[in-house]
């Protein structure tokens, strides 16, 4: 009795899973209808923020890294740190406070400003899309206007057409035939 019951329950369970997956695929998780938008929305601002935040973070890491101390290679930096260490160790003046971090902060803020200025210059001087992309966008807009706005476009040409069943009057046979060296020539599909 148990093996038969397990088989029936397994069949019911698998059938329910298959049907729920089918419902999910067909109704709940369908591909959204595509909408034409100008950009990526709020993500432009998020990416800009991340660019500036990563520049600031990189400068902080470069200044505070012990093995790769950028600030220590600046001329006069070590002397300034030594003077501040000596000044903060004495009993006069500010006394008792540790001022050796001040030059590192100064270097950090200068490096941060240089990095932010570099990002701003890059954003303003380097275009976000190439000339080819701009040309293709203009071409697509032109095609869309030609295709979808054709019914509202006014034609200024006057086109007259006439036909006759008389071969001699039509003059079609007097027109020269296209030769294979002509740019408009198309090879016939059937050779007679």
């Amino acid at each position: 009795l148990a093996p038969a019951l397990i088989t029936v329950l397994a069949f019911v369970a698998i059938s329910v899973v298959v049907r729920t997956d089918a419902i999910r695929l067909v109704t709940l998780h369908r591909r959204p209808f595509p909408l034409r938008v100008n950009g990526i929305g709020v993500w432009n601002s998020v990416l800009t923020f991340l660019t500036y935040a990563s520049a600031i973070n990189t400068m902080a890491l470069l200044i505070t890294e012990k093995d790769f101390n950028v600030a220590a290679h600046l001329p006069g930096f070590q002397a300034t740190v030594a003077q501040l260490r000596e000044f903060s160790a004495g009993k006069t003046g500010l006394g008792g406070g540790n001022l050796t971090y001040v030059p590192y902060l100064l270097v950090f803020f200068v490096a941060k400003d240089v990095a932010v200025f570099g990002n701003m210059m890059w954003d303003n001087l380097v275009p976000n899309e190439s000339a080819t992309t701009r040309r293709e966008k203009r071409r697509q807009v032109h095609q869309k206007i030609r295709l979808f706005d054709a019914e509202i476009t006014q034609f200024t040409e006057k086109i007259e057409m006439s036909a006759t069943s008389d071969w001699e009057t039509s003059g079609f046979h007097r027109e020269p035939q296209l030769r294979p060296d002509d740019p408009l020539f198309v090879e016939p599909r059937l050779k007679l």
Side-chain angles (χ1 to χ4, degrees):
L1 182 67
L5 185 60
I6 290 175
T7 307
V8 171
L9 289 176
F11 174 74
V12 169
I14 291 173
S15 299
V16 168
V17 168
V18 167
R19 292 311 310 155
T20 55
D21 286 346
I23 289 170
R24 267 197 272 165
L25 286 173
V26 173
T27 59
L28 299 177
H29 297 289
R30 287 189 299 179
R31 177 177 168 233
F33 187 75
L35 299 174
R36 186 169 297 278
V37 294
N38 289 332
I40 58 174
V42 72
W43 289 104
N44 280 330
S45 303
V46 171
L47 290 174
T48 302
F49 169 76
L50 285 176
T51 301
Y52 288 103
S54 64
I56 292 170
N57 186 34
T58 302
M59 290 302 121
L61 289 174
L62 284 175
I63 299 301
T64 60
E65 180 65 32
K66 297 291 183 198
D67 296 333
F68 186 72
N69 194 351
V70 174
H73 298 293
L74 296 175
F77 183 78
Q78 295 297 338
T80 306
V81 171
Q83 285 178 351
L84 284 171
R85 188 176 293 134
E86 181 182 313
F87 179 72
S88 63
K91 301 272 185 212
T92 60
L94 296 174
N98 187 1
L99 299 178
T100 56
Y101 65 88
V102 173
Y104 289 100
L105 282 176
L106 181 64
V107 169
F108 165 71
F109 285 120
V110 169
K112 175 204 54 110
D113 290 341
V114 167
V116 168
F117 180 73
N119 276 344
M120 289 172 52
M121 292 301 292
W122 181 267
D123 286 344
N124 290 326
L125 294 178
V126 177
N128 290 334
E129 56 190 22
S130 67
T132 306
T133 304
R134 280 194 304 273
R135 185 188 70 218
E136 287 298 316
K137 282 183 176 180
R138 284 197 312 265
R139 184 184 63 79
Q140 288 176 2
V141 167
H142 178 71
Q143 285 178 343
K144 186 190 303 181
I145 290 171
R146 295 288 299 251
L147 287 173
F148 298 120
D149 296 340
E151 62 269 3
I152 61 173
T153 305
Q154 295 180 354
F155 293 101
T156 56
E157 298 92 15
K158 184 176 180 185
I159 300 173
E160 291 183 22
M161 293 179 23
S162 61
T164 179
S165 62
D166 185 18
W167 179 259
E168 285 297 320
T169 308
S170 71
F172 183 75
H173 61 285
R174 290 189 289 271
E175 292 294 323
Q177 292 184 352
L178 290 177
R179 302 285 177 217
D181 58 337
D182 193 293
L184 297 176
F185 179 78
V186 176
E187 192 71 37
R189 291 186 183 193
L190 296 174
K191 301 236 181 194
L192 299 176

